[in-house]
Amino acid sequence: MKKETARTLVVTPTYNEVENIRKLTERVFKLDLPDLEILFVDDNSPDGTAALIEQLQEDNPKIHLIKRAGKLGLGTAYVEGFTYALENKFDFIFEMDADLSNNPEDIPIFLQEIEDYDLVIGSRYLAGMNVANWPVSRLFLSLFANWYTRIITGMPFKDCTSGFKCFRRHVLECIGIDQIRSDGYSFQIELHYLAWKKGFRIKEMPIIFIDRESGSSKMSRKVMKEAALMVWKLKFRNI
């Protein structure tokens, strides 16, 4: 009897990423992993991102698309993507950015590591500071946010705000993703915290983060403020 292979879905939210989508899909499927698929969750990008994805779908049935009515936020995009992954019985679910700051060639390494863990987090700070092309101010902000998060929540992770990670499906089934309302950095913090508090086996692995070449960052003061408040909500929730 043939052993059933594990299915993997990469969930990638998009907003105005038309310059990066073709390169991203080419690199993902160049890996030649037979059970790997990708889901884009597009927030009605005015630059034609969804139209390009639909064009790519014509030649590749492993490319999927959820089109949303407007710019509804990173957190809800991931929740919709995770829900799709669970409903369609994927075994491993990735978070990955659309802007090529996360290296698709790291995916096979994540899949090796997840064999012994429930969640593998790609860490920019596990082995020094593996961030390229960020201005010093942005790097300092990220380092401070992670230090601040560790101090307040007690989480042991070097990169609490990482957006490149791989879950086993039962993690997402257990933590109650439909209850998560946060966005941006705070969404990543909340997700890591919930998995940690549930006692799942979590590993950080070093990655190199390279800032986007095309398009513009979605970072804003609102995102930073929400993340700063989220760590206190998590602390008081635990108390």
Side-chain angles (χ1 to χ4, degrees), residues 30 104 137 142 233:
K30 193 176 180 180
S137 59
S142 179
K233 289 180 182 178

Side-chain angles (χ1 to χ4, degrees), residues 163-189:
F164 194 16
K165 60 181 73 77
C166 179
F167 299 90
R168 286 183 179 271
R169 62 174 290 116
H170 66 261
V171 176
L172 297 176
E173 290 171 332
C174 289
I175 63 176
I177 56 172
D178 56 325
Q179 301 300 313
I180 298 176
R181 296 290 180 266
S182 52
D183 200 19
Y185 269 174
S186 61
F187 174 80
Q188 308 299 356
I189 293 168

Side-chain angles (χ1 to χ4, degrees), residues 116-141:
D116 299 313
Y117 294 91
D118 301 304
L119 166 59
V120 178
I121 301 169
S123 176
R124 297 162 291 184
Y125 307 123
L126 188 63
M129 292 184 288
N130 293 324
V131 177
N133 301 334
W134 258 6
V136 173
S137 59
R138 180 75 184 274
L139 178 59
F140 175 79
L141 176 64

Side-chain angles (χ1 to χ4, degrees), residues 13-212:
T14 55
Y15 185 77
N16 286 349
E17 296 289 355
V18 72
E19 297 174 70
N20 295 309
I21 294 302
R22 191 180 297 276
K23 293 178 189 175
L24 176 62
T25 55
E26 286 174 355
R27 288 175 64 181
V28 166
F29 292 110
K30 193 176 180 180
L31 298 170
D32 197 27
L33 295 170
D35 298 294
L36 176 66
E37 303 182 32
I38 188 166
L39 167 67
F40 294 103
V41 184
D42 187 70
D43 272 5
N44 196 25
S45 300
D47 71 345
T49 297
L52 175 58
I53 294 168
E54 288 173 326
Q55 179 184 329
L56 296 172
Q57 281 183 298
E58 295 175 4
D59 298 317
N60 191 338
K62 293 183 177 181
I63 297 175
H64 310 282
L65 173 65
I66 294 174
K67 292 198 291 185
R68 307 206 301 170
K71 195 174 181 182
L72 304 177
L74 183 74
T76 59
Y78 271 126
V79 168
E80 284 200 44
F82 293 160
T83 301
Y84 177 97
L86 296 178
E87 289 175 348
N88 287 276
K89 309 300 182 185
F90 284 92
D91 301 287
F92 301 123
I93 300 102
F94 277 83
E95 281 189 26
M96 190 170 74
D97 293 340
D99 61 8
L100 296 171
S101 57
N102 302 143
N103 183 2
E105 284 75 29
D106 285 336
I107 290 174
I109 305 173
F110 275 95
L111 292 175
Q112 288 176 1
E113 296 289 353
I114 200 74
E115 290 182 9
D116 299 313
Y117 294 91
D118 301 304
L119 166 59
V120 178
I121 301 169
S123 176
R124 297 162 291 184
Y125 307 123
L126 188 63
M129 292 184 288
N130 293 324
V131 177
N133 301 334
W134 258 6
V136 173
S137 59
R138 180 75 184 274
L139 178 59
F140 175 79
L141 176 64
S142 179
L143 289 168
F144 176 80
N146 278 284
W147 172 82
Y148 177 81
T149 299
R150 287 194 300 273
I151 293 297
I152 305 303
T153 66
M155 279 195 290
F157 312 124
K158 292 287 187 180
D159 198 346
C160 301
T161 59
S162 172
F164 194 16
K165 60 181 73 77
C166 179
F167 299 90
R168 286 183 179 271
R169 62 174 290 116
H170 66 261
V171 176
L172 297 176
E173 290 171 332
C174 289
I175 63 176
I177 56 172
D178 56 325
Q179 301 300 313
I180 298 176
R181 296 290 180 266
S182 52
D183 200 19
Y185 269 174
S186 61
F187 174 80
Q188 308 299 356
I189 293 168
E190 187 174 6
L191 210 52
H192 293 155
Y193 185 83
L194 293 173
W196 176 59
K197 277 299 182 181
K198 287 283 186 180
F200 287 112
R201 300 169 300 163
I202 302 173
K203 178 175 182 177
E204 283 188 279
M205 63 169 251
I207 60 168
I208 296 174
F209 179 94
I210 302 175
D211 196 21
R212 64 166 62 240

